[in-house]
Amino acid sequence: MLQNYSLPVDFRRLTQRGGRLEQVDLHESVRQNILLVLISRYGSLRADYSYGWGFWEHDFDHAKEINHRRLRFEQEVRQIILEREPRLDPSELKVRLQISRDALPSYRGRRMQMLKKTLHVNVEGRLLETNQAFRPAPFLVYFSPVAIHEHNSD
């Protein structure tokens, strides 16, 4: 039986006498694997420079530009999952992206002029091994910088 280890791996547990790695169920293992590839830039894994997602090249693009590329990003994420997650049924895999702009709270009398943009990545499918539905909560990817504007009290 294949073991599903939790990510990130706690290597300190292995160095302890009788130490074992934490295990998770199949659904959580698939979810963690997808999250790992989504938050990785291309080239960040020395053993495989094609590992990751190219979205991070667009980190500072405006939300309108990202929204125009939304369908392309959906196709990219679907392809990445098909290549990197063989435990999902390819014929049932659906990926949808949604961009929102969430206001951040003020801090010490400073209000945020720019809003942090959030990419909601919804992935649905079916696990091949168990034939169970795979519908994790959306993956939330935050991008773009935040600027702070100071209020004058005069």
Side-chain angles (χ1 to χ4, degrees):
M1 181 174 170
L2 187 62
Q3 303 299 317
N4 297 305
Y5 296 109
S6 179
L7 295 175
V9 174
D10 183 1
F11 289 104
R12 288 179 295 180
R13 290 180 78 167
L14 283 179
T15 61
Q16 297 171 353
R17 185 178 185 115
R20 295 177 184 257
L21 293 176
E22 181 182 350
Q23 295 182 14
V24 295
D25 66 18
L26 178 63
H27 189 280
E28 179 61 14
S29 177
V30 171
R31 189 197 70 77
Q32 289 179 2
N33 188 43
I34 292 171
L35 176 61
L36 186 61
V37 76
L38 289 178
I39 64 172
S40 299
R41 289 180 180 267
Y42 282 135
S44 61
L45 181 62
R46 286 184 180 174
D48 183 354
Y49 287 107
S50 69
Y51 187 86
W53 184 23
F55 174 79
W56 297 106
E57 300 300 318
H58 303 279
D59 191 20
F60 293 99
D61 288 0
H62 295 288
K64 282 184 179 179
E65 294 171 23
I66 299 293
N67 206 32
H68 288 305
R69 296 184 182 112
R70 186 179 52 78
L71 292 176
R72 190 181 91 211
F73 288 138
E74 286 177 357
Q75 292 169 348
E76 284 179 10
V77 170
R78 187 177 192 287
Q79 187 60 41
I80 288 167
I81 293 172
L82 289 173
E83 291 172 4
R84 301 294 177 170
E85 190 43 79
R87 299 174 289 181
L88 287 175
D89 183 345
S91 67
E92 302 249 348
L93 182 62
K94 295 178 184 137
V95 175
R96 287 183 314 280
L97 273 63
Q98 174 189 357
I99 299 170
S100 67
R101 295 175 57 126
D102 301 321
L104 296 175
S106 63
Y107 176 71
R108 294 185 181 178
R110 298 174 177 175
R111 91 180 148 82
M112 305 295 172
Q113 280 196 318
M114 294 180 66
L115 303 177
K116 195 73 163 169
K117 292 177 251 346
T118 309
L119 189 63
H120 302 256
V121 182
N122 293 289
V123 178
E124 293 183 12
R126 183 155 309 282
L127 296 167
L128 287 170
E129 184 178 321
T130 62
N131 204 30
Q132 291 178 323
F134 177 77
R135 288 185 181 88
F139 299 95
L140 301 179
V141 179
Y142 297 94
F143 63 102
S144 295
V146 173
I148 298 174
H149 176 74
E150 290 195 49
H151 288 284
N152 292 332
S153 56
D154 328 285

